[in-house]
Every structure is written in C-alpha cells, then in structure tokens.
Amino acid sequence: MTFLTGLSLILLKLSINVTAPRQWTLQQTVSDAYLTYEKAWAQRLPFSDLLDTDSPWPQYPQKSEVQVQLGKLPGGSEIYGTVIRTRIPDSNNFPVDGGSGSIATNPSGMKVYNFQSLLTYNVGERKYVKSRTIVRSQ
C-alpha cells in the first residue's frame, strides 16, 4: 500500500510537470493573438483618427495605458495585461508633423509614424513584455 501511494504521488508530480509548460505556452499564444488585434486596429483606423488629439496612440512622450483582458485559461481563470500605446513621428516629417524634414529631404510631404503597442502581463511570478510597431504613412 505504501509503495502504491508513493508511486501515485510520483505520477501526480509528473503530470503536473507536463501541464505547467502548456499553461505558459497558452498564455504566450493568447498574448500574441491580442497583439495581432492591436496591429490590425492600428492598420484599420483612418489616418486622421490616429493623429487626432484623442487618438488611442498619443504622440511620444505621451502614452496611454489600458488594462485589458487577454483571454481565459481552461477552468475560467482570466488573463489580464496592460497595453501601453504611443506614436513616434519619423525624423524626416515636416516640423509641423513632429520631424525636422524639409522640402529638400521630403519633397512629397509624406507623414510617417511608428505606432507602438507594448503589452505587459504576468505568468506566475515573472513579468513579460511584448511589443508591436506598425508603420503608417500618408
């Protein structure tokens, strides 16, 4: 009886060791999926909305931070993270658009911005950060 109890505890420990990496992998997949949504949103919004004063991506050094639900794990426990957004103008933009370009360096008057989304979340005791940068021009 003691032998069977010991064997069952060893098998239980092995099964827990097998499922722990799966939970980490699932959370990585969920966070990647959320960042794909962020990327699609930044690509879909009209350029005028992205540059507006109440844009989800304020101009650097300002930033917006939003608490988001990334998804749910099996069993119903929710995964939360924080999204930090900002936009950075290209250095070749005209000064009115946040750059230092001129007619000689930017003859077409292009406006180019990098829209950054940073996602921070925890898995156990570890904190993770993932980012996506979307380049948009007009």
Side-chain angles (χ1 to χ4, degrees):
M1 187 68 142
T2 304
F3 174 74
L4 289 176
T5 303
L7 182 62
S8 66
L9 289 175
I10 291 171
L11 291 175
L12 176 64
K13 176 68 174 153
L14 288 173
S15 68
I16 289 172
N17 287 343
V18 167
T19 59
R22 288 183 184 162
Q23 182 177 359
W24 180 85
T25 302
L26 180 62
Q27 289 184 344
Q28 295 298 317
T29 303
V30 167
S31 62
D32 284 341
Y34 188 83
L35 283 174
T36 301
Y37 161 77
E38 281 284 315
K39 182 179 177 183
W41 188 32
Q43 290 173 337
R44 181 186 72 217
L45 280 176
F47 208 77
S48 60
D49 291 350
L50 289 170
L51 300 181
D52 201 16
T53 55
D54 62 345
S55 169
W57 284 268
Q59 186 157 328
Y60 183 81
Q62 296 175 345
K63 62 183 179 181
S64 69
E65 291 188 35
V66 180
Q67 181 86 14
V68 295
Q69 180 182 350
L70 302 175
K72 292 184 179 182
L73 292 172
S77 61
E78 298 169 339
I79 306 169
Y80 288 98
T82 303
V83 176
I84 302 167
R85 298 183 189 110
T86 191
R87 75 174 181 262
I88 303 168
D90 188 76
S91 62
N92 202 29
N93 287 358
F94 287 147
V96 71
D97 297 319
S100 59
S102 65
I103 295 290
T105 61
N106 189 359
S108 62
M110 292 287 295
K111 296 178 186 179
V112 180
Y113 288 89
N114 293 322
F115 295 90
Q116 281 190 332
S117 295
L118 297 159
L119 175 65
T120 61
Y121 61 98
N122 296 322
V123 177
E125 296 296 318
R126 293 186 176 183
K127 186 172 188 173
Y128 293 89
V129 178
K130 290 186 175 183
S131 70
R132 294 292 185 271
T133 301
I134 299 90
V135 179
R136 293 275 309 262
S137 62
Q138 181 183 33

